[in-house]
Amino acid sequence: MLFQGIIIDCFQKINQERTSSSVYNLLVGKKAIQTIQDAKFYHIADYYGIYPDLEKAVYNQQLQQLLHARYIQEEEAHKLQITAKGQTWMLSHKTDLNGFQGSKYAKIIEPFKQRLLLFIQTFTNTSKNQYRFIPITDNVDIEQFIKWTYKQYKHRSAEILQQLYKELEEALSGLSNIEAAMFVDRITSFFSYGSSLQQLSQDYQLSIPDCYLTLQKTFYHLLNVQENSENYPMLTLLTKHLRTVDTSLSQTAQWTRRLLQKKHSFEEIMQIRRLKANTIQDHFVEIAMQEDAFPFFDYLDSAIYEEIKAFVHTKQTYRLKEIKNNVHPDITYFQIRLALVLYNK
């Protein structure tokens, strides 16, 4: 129950401070500042964006199963808490949830997957003089990258395939048998079609979400090994020009950051961008999360920060409303949000 275990872990760490929808937003990698903050503050960033195609109906179905089995329980409206049974399960299976690096590889996991699978399909087919096949992806950028790669290496296809086989064999040896086997079954090569998620579900007697996430763990592992060792030149090639930045800034926040770097004031940025104060505040919080050099105390008095910090430390809560109701009434939500970012640096 890999998928359900991840859900249990999220609710345990959030500890009733967010609704069930917040976990769904985390898993699909919603780019909202609240979701990105949740990932960081509650130490669940490894799960950020690990299941981008997850349907809300499937997620809700899994929640109902966990509620029915009493791994979690509903204490408040839409706020779920892990039960003693859930805690016991977590103690026995915590290591099964390791291996995800969602936030770190949020921008590159999907293109890397498609590049690798199309690379294998292309080179195994062309090495057998089979040039007519249906690509496993219709993504134009992915196809163009593989076409470029093929032109560079087609004169030594056999050598390239052997090198990639060696790298995958080495990398997969660090995984469980089921993870390695499922990855191999997913590959489409010369006259061999990769199994669909439905087929994998039947073959391995696992739910479709569990199969999907098992494969995801493998791709995260491949990204990790190529980044931390020089022994994976082919896997490294397939990450060319892909950026491994933790949930990088949205484009609109980047524009605000450029104006901030030019020493424009908050009010000037509002006028230049013709945006409401709340929107610019969202951008500032997003920028503050990404940059250690953010000028926190230009917008947050040190005494205010200490007051917020003391309450958060004592009550161990990140609930904005609860913090707002227990600090000086003049302290704004914007200041609280900035203080929470600084507190978690």
Side-chain angles (χ1 to χ4, degrees), residues 251-312:
Q251 289 187 344
T252 184
Q254 289 179 33
W255 187 357
T256 297
R257 180 176 63 178
R258 286 194 290 270
L259 294 174
L260 187 61
Q261 290 172 338
K262 292 179 180 178
K263 307 301 181 183
H264 286 289
S265 68
F266 185 93
E267 290 72 21
E268 288 172 341
I269 294 174
M270 281 180 57
Q271 292 174 357
I272 294 169
R273 300 226 46 201
R274 297 181 180 179
L275 294 173
K276 295 180 179 179
N278 287 344
T279 303
I280 300 300
Q281 288 173 357
D282 284 348
H283 294 171
F284 274 34
V285 173
E286 190 176 347
I287 295 164
M289 290 180 64
Q290 297 288 332
E291 297 185 355
D292 291 335
F294 182 84
F296 286 94
F297 294 109
D298 286 355
Y299 312 97
L300 180 67
D301 185 88
S302 59
I304 291 175
Y305 171 67
E306 291 300 328
E307 183 177 351
I308 297 169
K309 176 183 174 182
F311 180 79
V312 171

Side-chain angles (χ1 to χ4, degrees), residues 30-59:
K30 187 175 181 179
K31 293 181 174 59
I33 183 62
Q34 183 64 66
T35 302
I36 296 171
Q37 280 187 310
D38 287 348
K40 183 178 179 65
F41 292 173
Y42 295 107
H43 307 290
I44 47 179
D46 283 345
Y47 299 138
Y48 179 84
I50 64 173
Y51 206 153
D53 297 326
L54 176 62
E55 296 179 2
K56 190 67 176 287
V58 173
Y59 172 72

Side-chain angles (χ1 to χ4, degrees), residues 108-122:
I108 114 176
I109 181 70
E110 293 305 317
F112 172 74
K113 285 166 57 176
Q114 293 183 52
R115 283 181 176 188
L116 175 57
L117 295 176
L118 184 57
F119 182 96
I120 293 172
Q121 182 187 22
T122 300

Side-chain angles (χ1 to χ4, degrees), residues 143-161:
E143 289 184 339
Q144 289 299 320
F145 176 83
I146 296 303
K147 285 180 180 178
W148 173 84
T149 306
Y150 177 70
K151 288 180 181 178
Q152 301 296 313
Y153 296 99
K154 63 181 180 180
H155 60 287
R156 50 192 186 102
S157 292
E159 178 187 344
I160 291 301
L161 283 171

Side-chain angles (χ1 to χ4, degrees), residues 186-199:
R186 186 67 162 162
I187 292 173
T188 292
S189 58
F190 177 65
F191 277 138
S192 176
Y193 295 95
S195 298
S196 67
L197 288 173
Q198 289 79 6
Q199 290 170 328

Side-chain angles (χ1 to χ4, degrees), residues 12 18 37 51 74 101 122 124 141 155 254 315:
Q12 182 180 45
R18 294 288 184 267
Q37 280 187 310
Y51 206 153
E74 190 167 8
Q101 298 187 61
T122 300
T124 55
D141 291 337
H155 60 287
Q254 289 179 33
K315 297 296 183 179

Side-chain angles (χ1 to χ4, degrees), residues 171-193:
L172 294 177
S173 68
L175 299 174
S176 69
N177 290 336
I178 191 171
E179 289 167 346
M182 193 179 292
F183 172 80
V184 172
D185 288 346
R186 186 67 162 162
I187 292 173
T188 292
S189 58
F190 177 65
F191 277 138
S192 176
Y193 295 95

